[in-house]
Amino acid sequence: MTQLRSFSQKLWQISSDSTVTTLPDLQSILLENRGLTDHETIQNFLEPSLENLESPWEMKDMKKAVERIKRAIENDERIIVFGDFDTDGITATVILAQTLKKLGAHVSYRIPDRTADSHGLKTYFLDDLAERNVSLVITVDCGINDSVEVSYAKERGIDVIITDHHESDAKIFPKDAVAVLNPKVGENGETSPELAGAAVAWKLAAAISEEILQNNSEKIASILDPLLELVAIGIIADCVELVGENRIFAKFGLEKIKTTSWKGLLQLLERTETSLDKITEESVGFVIAPHLNAASRIGDVLIAAQLFLGNENENLARIEKLLHWNNIRRELTEKAIAQSAEQIRPKAPFQIFYNKKWKPGILGLLAARHSQQLGVPTVACTLRKDGKISASCRAPEGYSIIDGLRATEKCLEKFGGHAGAAGFFMEQKNFEELKKQLDHHFSQKNIGTIPLKVDAWVSSELLNEELINFLKFFAPFGNGNPAPILGLKNVKISNIRSMGKQKNHARIIGEIEGRELNFIAFFARHFIEQVNVNDHVDIAITIGENEWNGKRTLELRVIDIWKK
């Protein structure tokens, strides 16, 4: 095992010092590094199939949920789909609302305002719904810890079905819910516990469609197939693990986007000059999700949902709003990142940032950026209109931010989330105590130097168009299925310069084995300060793809550099 200390201070871990020169050898290494060794698991990974999705009926409480929804449809009861305001919640809302509408339900939807309402059910929402004669609320991507609100709904004559994927706290489990569909709760067959909210919503959509339409497979497919792309968007945007069923949903959903029947999505992709036949997980992560999220971060979240569920004649105006809000979001985020940099605590076991003027909608982005660059759990806070502190939290691999919040819950009024991402709100007076307790909690974790797992050293002769096609068998990439990291030995730096509007990216030209290669290092201005022309370095890269005038070229993305 080769171990090298790099510019990022990560420890490179490489299974072999040998340099790979052929794609078959690289394939064997990549499969082994992912724990795929027997023929069946390898075949299922390289050739995934929708048939490998587990029956939705294996999920705990599915039968209860379907029976209650079916009764509501038969009795023409008013149903509300209650979603969350991020991309996973938006897509989950669309999935279930669209399905129920096509099945003849009297259905509408509601998504809370990120700033005014925060996450989850609220008693004032339930009061309003009761006055509107709503008798069934189905949550999507939220609700698992809304025990008080679910009990209150029952008092007001409203049944609640919970569909969620966030961690459950046994002390506040919504016992008064008619059904709880959550892969992290109870026995769920072999279903992946990391299913996104959109995937859980799709499973409920599949079960209720099967129950009502019985053997009409053609009509069932006409409802469910167009929803696969929304599941993929929700999964990728929420950064859940791209393994098992999540990877199947993501892979086939991305393919469906290329022939999408959702006019609003098509128009958004056209407006952002995103080529349909080149749709990848990056299209979701850098184009689709940011624009949908911008609606709740800066503007009106319902605009994002209406892009799918509203009058199609109004889509172009909605898209212009989404673009405008996303530009504002980008500017506010960069400003907040610069402001928060002054609050960084060197060598602290976790980071916490606070500014009462920051918009709640950018806190997650702020926490994510610092968590990625500093390698520790990060909390970003602002002040709500009611005088309480609101926060979003992110944690890198190896940490659990939700465990940290559980250990300090006496400081918090309410919290929720999962290992990599969470949120909370609390009284201002508890801020310093929370900081102290989280310092103690994460100082005990002793994660040590974070490893960088480089899959293999490779020869530069492998860096060609054939490699792009080869890597597509391992895609889509994301949490749990990271893009292969390849190492190049002894690269001579011939040029390096900053690039981008903020000058926070680096362009590097290097020479290796008689070839001149172009590298790009995103958010890595520090490389410029540490690498000089004529230096000989080892470079860890992932492979991207560029297309210009019909010609495809490799994009060599720098992950880390080790200087000899």
Side-chain angles (χ1 to χ4, degrees), residues 235-374:
I235 284 172
I236 294 168
D238 219 47
C239 297
V240 293
E241 290 198 352
L242 284 177
V243 296
E245 292 190 317
N246 277 336
R247 183 167 179 269
I248 295 172
F249 277 125
K251 196 171 186 75
F252 285 91
L254 287 172
E255 285 301 310
K256 290 288 293 182
I257 294 176
K258 296 177 181 179
T259 56
T260 183
S261 59
W262 294 98
K263 190 172 181 180
L265 178 58
L266 177 62
Q267 290 169 317
L268 175 62
L269 293 171
E270 290 175 345
R271 180 64 177 81
T272 54
E273 298 181 351
T274 305
S275 175
L276 279 177
D277 62 346
K278 302 299 179 187
I279 292 291
T280 67
E281 63 274 19
E282 292 184 346
S283 309
V284 174
F286 294 104
V287 179
I288 299 173
H291 286 94
L292 297 182
N293 276 331
S296 67
R297 296 187 194 281
I298 306 298
D300 179 358
V301 66
L302 293 180
I303 295 297
Q306 288 164 359
L307 189 65
F308 301 92
L309 297 174
N311 186 331
E312 292 182 350
N313 293 330
E314 300 174 19
N315 279 345
L316 294 180
R318 294 186 185 109
I319 289 169
E320 291 308 313
K321 288 181 179 179
L322 295 179
L323 266 65
H324 174 66
W325 291 332
N326 193 45
N327 287 334
I328 295 175
R329 185 273 310 167
R330 189 182 293 112
E331 293 172 1
L332 291 176
T333 303
E334 292 302 323
K335 181 179 179 181
I337 287 170
Q339 293 170 333
S340 58
E342 300 175 2
Q343 300 179 31
I344 291 175
R345 301 180 298 153
K347 299 182 179 180
F350 97 105
Q351 297 290 335
I352 187 165
F353 305 105
Y354 172 75
N355 187 313
K356 65 181 182 181
K357 294 183 179 180
W358 288 337
K359 288 186 70 69
I362 67 168
L363 295 180
L365 303 172
L366 178 61
R369 180 75 66 84
H370 283 302
S371 179
Q372 291 166 3
Q373 294 192 345
L374 300 173

Side-chain angles (χ1 to χ4, degrees), residues 41 45 149 158 205 207 211 223 270 328 355 384 505 517 519:
T41 55
F45 180 83
E149 291 78 9
I158 300 174
E211 175 66 20
I223 292 175
E270 290 175 345
I328 295 175
N355 187 313
R384 302 197 324 181
H505 310 308
L517 299 175
F519 302 88

